[in-house]
Amino acid sequence: MRLELSDLPPRIRAQAEAQIAARGQKRAPATPSMAAAASIAETAGMDFDSRGEYDYYMGVILPKVQRGQIVNVETHRAFSLLPEKEYGNVKLPAARYTADFVLTYADGTMEVVEVKSKFTRRQQRDYIYRRRLFIDLVAEPRGWRFVEHITPDTSAEIKAWKRLAKQKG
């Protein structure tokens, strides 16, 4: 009897997929430069805000799309968390959460993926609250999974990616 990845429990399956992806990355040629990665993303019709998003898409999401496990990928989908309102004489802005990837699996499972660098996570102090609101108000009631992927990007890499993104338009 042959055991498939889909037969494994979710946590074990995620570990196995990560190990397989890591094994594949070791055999792959050197990763493209920032400019080449931005160019590849543009020709694929994808919009990535960071190198971490690009790497996650190419290393984790794209292989699952090719195997037919993922049937739909949405990038940068915005979710309304709280509406704009006034309280006394204070105007409170609307609270929104924008997910990096919203994935629909072939079995109907929905997964929201947030890719953050350690640097960006420290800089965006409100992120942990928006993440909590999103999980409590949107993901959990709908039965969606939430995955947070933390990358070791440096501030220099982030600045270079943003500079390239501005140059592209």
Side-chain angles (χ1 to χ4, degrees):
M1 179 164 106
R2 184 179 170 146
L3 188 66
E4 297 291 333
L5 281 176
S6 59
D7 297 334
L8 298 173
R11 196 172 104 211
I12 304 300
R13 182 175 58 228
Q15 289 175 344
E17 288 172 346
Q19 289 175 356
I20 291 167
R23 212 178 302 141
Q25 288 175 352
K26 289 177 187 171
R27 284 190 221 126
T31 58
S33 68
M34 294 285 271
S39 176
I40 292 167
E42 183 182 350
T43 58
M46 301 298 289
D47 180 29
F48 302 110
D49 288 342
S50 68
R51 178 61 183 254
E53 285 181 26
Y54 169 81
D55 289 340
Y56 189 84
Y57 179 81
M58 297 302 282
V60 178
I61 297 173
L62 188 59
K64 289 181 182 180
V65 169
Q66 291 170 339
R67 288 191 305 262
Q69 290 176 301
I70 295 176
V71 295
N72 188 33
V73 178
E74 291 181 71
T75 58
H76 304 116
R77 180 172 164 189
F79 295 90
S80 178
L81 301 175
L82 297 171
E84 180 181 322
K85 73 175 192 176
E86 283 191 38
Y87 182 75
N89 63 350
V90 177
K91 282 191 171 188
L92 300 171
R96 295 173 10 132
Y97 178 81
T98 303
D100 291 330
F101 301 104
V102 178
L103 310 173
T104 306
Y105 284 82
D107 65 358
T109 305
M110 297 287 287
E111 181 176 85
V112 177
V113 179
E114 183 65 40
V115 179
K116 286 273 186 230
S117 70
K118 290 179 181 178
F119 174 80
T120 303
R121 193 164 188 236
R122 281 192 305 270
Q123 297 302 315
Q124 293 180 344
R125 294 178 183 210
D126 67 330
Y127 165 69
I128 59 171
Y129 302 109
R130 286 184 291 112
R131 178 188 63 191
R132 172 67 190 268
L133 282 171
F134 173 76
I135 290 170
D136 286 349
L137 298 176
V138 179
E140 194 174 38
R142 296 179 184 179
W144 294 0
R145 289 190 310 227
F146 182 85
V147 175
E148 185 177 50
H149 181 74
I150 306 298
T151 65
D153 293 345
T154 64
S155 62
E157 290 173 327
I158 293 166
K159 287 177 186 176
W161 187 269
K162 286 183 179 179
R163 187 178 63 249
L164 285 169
K166 284 181 184 177
Q167 289 174 356
K168 293 288 181 184

